[in-house]
Amino acid sequence: MKTMKNNYFLTTIALMALMISCTDDFTEINEKPDALAASDVSAKFFVTNAQTGLFAPNRYPYWRGPIIHADRYAGHTAFGYKSNWWDDGLGYNYSAGYTSAVHDAWFASYNSTLSAFTNFVKEGGTLENDKYYAIALIMKGLYYQYYTDAFGMVPMSEASNPDIVTPKYDTQLEIYSTLVSDLDQAISLIGNDTTTGSGVDQLAENDLFFNGDLQAWKQMANSLKLRLGLRAQGAPGETFSSSAVSSAVTGGVLGDRDALLPRDLEISTWVSAVYGDVWGPFYGGGNWHLAKTLVDALRDNNDPRLAKYAKPSKGGTIQWAKPTEGERVGLFDKHIAYMTGILDSSGATYTKTSDGAGGYTITMPENTNYIGQPTRLNGKIKPLLDRKLWSEPSEVVVNQHNSGKPIFPFVVMTAAESHFMVAEAITKGLANGDAQGHYQTAIRHAMNLWGVSSADADNYIATEGMALLNGSTDQNLEKIATQRWIALFTNGYEAWSVVRDTGYPTELSAGVTDGDIFVLGDTNGVYPQRHRYGSGPYNTNGAQVEQANSVQGPDKQATKLWWAN
């Protein structure tokens, strides 16, 4: 796929043209018939960077953000197998270097990309265009929702003012309410228009989400507003959530379109990374397994996405040798009981026999069982975590750049999530309609996205209790949240937010308590609630960071966000 590469090139040319247009030499250059004039430049050349910069950063923050932190907090993946560089405590103990890579090199720095685009297209800007400004406002909503839900209070209202070098940190109440207003403005600016203009101003392939379809952008704005409204509902001081939810639903969310970021198959990992850029070169530190909570939710409900998300365990012969010294000697029986319990609860086919030296030999059929690795397992139990026990992610998830193989796109906002949220709004009494109808439509969309056939989706809905909203309000909300969380696989940050907001799946949100088996970490076993700030803000804007900490709570991973359950 060369589109993304070409768009980066065109963006560079566009920036050059804009700079030239501001110099005394422009007239002379413009007299040359082959010169690129400012009139040849369109805002469309900046859309691709705005999209990829937010959702597809380079390998440095990508490894340290989604892979080491969010995907694992979300309960979608787990580290810490026997030959891994780390146990699964990585990320549950604060690392200044890793956190700074996520905050400073990705989230905070993206503001300059967004601000440049916005300044070009806003009223009075060099490339003034109200339709592109609407897109900029929607990208702002996606960005700050992503950013604030990871860290809490962040600079927004003063962040793009070049005259303010130490911007204040806005509360999440202020951020959420502003974003809802911005989305309303964007929706109004788009109106019934379908394109951004004609000629050089017409957005098409540079828009990696919708190929320039403004009505799809409008629907995504409503879906995002619905996400914000539902998440803010009941949080201290908010007064906008009910109207945001109702107006989003009536305005029309993404009903049958998905905002996906396609993965460029050739671009450098130092421009835009994929899972395979870590999975392929770094066996000991870059490989992981599907987590127990996710695999259980799929397998135990006969979900046809299981084989799309995961591979069956490799199986074969696994040795659980009894240690002869150290703390693990006294814990061995406890660890064996725990591990055997995991295999049994997964319905795995296996045999366990004595090895004659106090340990055990596990014999498991190859490529048969789907077994997820529990999250947060510590170094004490790590020697028992043979890779052949656990399900790895499917090839389409971890294929590498330049391999010639397909790579699953990044999930930004989908029709599935939109219908799940509408079902939630109806179940909570915030909107009218058929909650189960939207819920089942969401399941169909979620399965279709992963290549599940219509027949298999129909069979799931016809035969599985998980496909019916037939319980109490709380039970129905749990099903909706769990299915939404499943559908967000590969977007760990948003899946993590679903757990923190709803409390589901409870296996994750309950945290852990047994230090003989699990890493309690800096949160003392509590489920992680946020990223800590990077070192950059403390070095350059320390007083404002401390002011934020005094409002929202200590800069710790266990400090709950404004909207958290």
Side-chain angles (χ1 to χ4, degrees):
M1 176 185 173
K2 296 184 179 179
T3 300
M4 197 181 294
K5 238 164 142 177
N6 292 340
N7 288 345
Y8 279 115
F9 172 75
L10 291 170
T11 301
T12 302
I13 296 298
L15 283 168
M16 291 173 61
L18 285 172
M19 288 187 289
I20 290 170
S21 70
C22 297
T23 68
D24 294 336
D25 294 330
F26 176 71
T27 302
E28 178 183 348
I29 294 172
N30 195 41
E31 290 173 354
K32 298 178 182 179
D34 59 347
L36 180 65
S39 59
D40 297 317
V41 180
S42 166
K44 69 182 181 183
F45 296 122
F46 299 90
V47 173
T48 304
N49 277 2
Q51 294 171 330
T52 58
L54 180 55
F55 295 114
N58 69 62
R59 195 180 78 191
Y60 182 64
Y62 189 73
W63 190 350
R64 291 153 181 81
I67 294 175
I68 288 178
H69 289 94
D71 290 351
R72 293 165 54 248
Y73 293 170
H76 284 170
T77 64
F79 275 171
Y81 53 88
K82 184 177 180 180
S83 57
N84 198 219
W85 293 349
W86 312 288
D87 61 36
D88 204 43
L90 184 71
Y92 294 93
N93 290 305
Y94 172 65
S95 164
Y98 290 167
T99 300
S100 293
V102 178
H103 182 275
D104 303 351
W106 179 14
F107 280 100
S109 65
Y110 175 78
N111 182 64
S112 61
T113 299
L114 179 64
S115 295
F117 175 45
T118 304
N119 289 336
F120 280 137
V121 299
K122 69 181 182 181
E123 184 176 358
T126 305
L127 302 175
E128 179 180 344
N129 181 307
D130 63 347
K131 301 302 180 288
Y132 280 106
Y133 184 59
I135 290 174
L137 289 174
I138 297 169
M139 288 303 303
K140 175 186 175 183
L142 290 169
Y143 166 47
Y144 276 105
Q145 183 255 311
Y146 211 27
Y147 190 8
T148 189
D149 287 357
F151 291 90
M153 292 176 63
V154 295
M156 186 183 76
S157 61
E158 298 178 351
S160 299
N161 188 333
D163 296 324
I164 299 177
V165 296
T166 56
K168 72 171 185 176
Y169 279 57
D170 298 287
T171 67
Q172 288 198 287
L173 171 60
E174 292 167 337
I175 293 170
Y176 265 54
S177 59
T178 298
L179 295 183
V180 168
S181 297
D182 286 345
L183 291 169
D184 283 336
Q185 182 182 2
I187 290 166
S188 177
L189 288 171
I190 292 172
N192 295 321
D193 288 332
T194 58
T195 65
T196 53
S198 59
V200 71
D201 286 328
Q202 184 170 355
L203 179 62
E205 67 273 7
N206 298 84
D207 173 13
L208 301 177
F209 296 164
F210 302 121
N211 200 41
D213 184 346
L214 282 185
Q215 289 305 301
W217 276 95
K218 181 178 176 180
Q219 291 170 359
M220 181 166 69
N222 275 315
S223 290
L224 179 57
K225 186 165 66 165
L226 181 57
R227 182 191 280 175
L228 292 165
L230 287 172
R231 193 156 292 161
Q233 190 207 12
E238 71 85 10
T239 58
F240 61 85
S241 67
S242 294
S243 61
V245 168
S246 61
S247 64
V249 173
T250 57
V253 297
L254 284 169
D256 56 10
R257 297 284 298 273
D258 299 316
L260 305 174
L261 188 70
R263 296 307 203 176
D264 192 301
L265 303 183
E266 299 176 9
I267 202 166
S268 168
T269 185
W270 295 114
V271 175
S272 177
V274 297
Y275 287 125
D277 294 333
V278 175
W279 178 276
F282 300 98
Y283 174 87
N287 284 195
W288 55 90
H289 299 109
L290 272 289
K292 174 184 180 296
T293 310
L294 179 60
V295 173
D296 286 356
L298 294 166
R299 185 198 60 240
D300 295 349
N301 292 290
N302 299 308
D303 195 311
R305 285 171 291 184
L306 178 60
K308 304 294 185 180
Y309 284 19
K311 295 178 182 179
S313 305
K314 290 179 180 177
T317 302
I318 295 105
Q319 295 298 140
W320 286 346
K322 184 171 183 176
T324 57
E325 60 182 7
E327 182 183 17
R328 290 187 57 246
V329 174
L331 293 174
F332 185 68
D333 289 343
K334 181 176 184 177
H335 287 167
I336 293 297
Y338 175 81
M339 293 292 292
T340 303
I342 294 298
L343 299 184
D344 290 343
S345 67
S346 71
T349 301
Y350 75 100
T351 59
K352 184 179 80 169
T353 58
S354 172
D355 65 1
Y360 299 92
T361 299
I362 301 297
T363 305
M364 183 179 290
E366 296 182 359
N367 303 313
T368 300
N369 300 307
Y370 283 94
I371 309 171
Q373 180 181 322
T375 53
R376 298 183 76 159
L377 296 182
N378 62 27
K380 301 172 187 177
I381 200 170
K382 183 180 176 184
L384 303 184
L385 307 181
D386 193 292
R387 289 209 68 179
K388 292 181 287 186
L389 289 169
W390 316 115
S391 290
E392 296 180 2
S394 62
E395 294 288 346
V396 74
V397 175
V398 294
N399 281 335
Q400 195 171 354
H401 277 137
N402 300 298
S403 66
K405 298 177 181 178
I407 304 172
F408 193 77
F410 181 80
V411 174
V412 177
M413 180 77 75
T414 63
E417 184 183 6
S418 299
H419 283 286
F420 283 132
M421 291 190 294
V422 174
E424 179 184 341
I426 296 169
T427 301
K428 289 180 173 179
L430 300 173
N432 298 317
D434 178 6
Q436 180 164 286
H438 281 284
Y439 178 66
Q440 293 182 343
T441 298
I443 291 172
R444 293 181 193 278
H445 279 294
M447 290 187 174
N448 178 68
L449 185 61
W450 282 88
V452 173
S453 69
S454 297
D456 285 344
D458 288 344
N459 180 66
Y460 178 85
I461 288 173
T463 60
E464 294 299 325
M466 188 65 177
L468 300 175
L469 298 182
N470 56 358
S472 66
T473 296
D474 286 345
Q475 288 170 332
N476 290 343
L477 288 173
E478 179 177 5
K479 286 183 178 180
I480 293 168
T482 301
Q483 282 289 339
R484 182 179 170 197
W485 167 80
I486 291 171
L488 284 164
F489 180 52
T490 72
N491 184 341
Y493 275 101
E494 189 56 31
W496 177 30
S497 291
V498 169
V499 180
R500 289 176 289 160
D501 179 31
T502 68
Y504 301 118
T506 54
E507 183 176 46
L508 298 173
S509 64
V512 295
T513 57
D514 191 342
D516 290 339
I517 295 173
F518 301 102
V519 171
L520 303 184
D522 292 344
T523 67
N524 196 30
V526 170
Y527 184 68
Q529 297 294 318
R530 60 182 289 273
H531 279 318
R532 292 175 62 170
Y533 297 120
S535 58
Y538 282 100
N539 293 334
T540 62
N541 198 12
Q544 296 289 5
V545 176
E546 295 297 353
Q547 173 61 26
N549 293 338
S550 72
V551 173
Q552 72 179 357
D555 188 12
K556 301 291 185 182
Q557 290 169 297
T559 297
K560 284 192 172 185
L561 299 186
W562 166 70
W563 46 255
N565 181 284

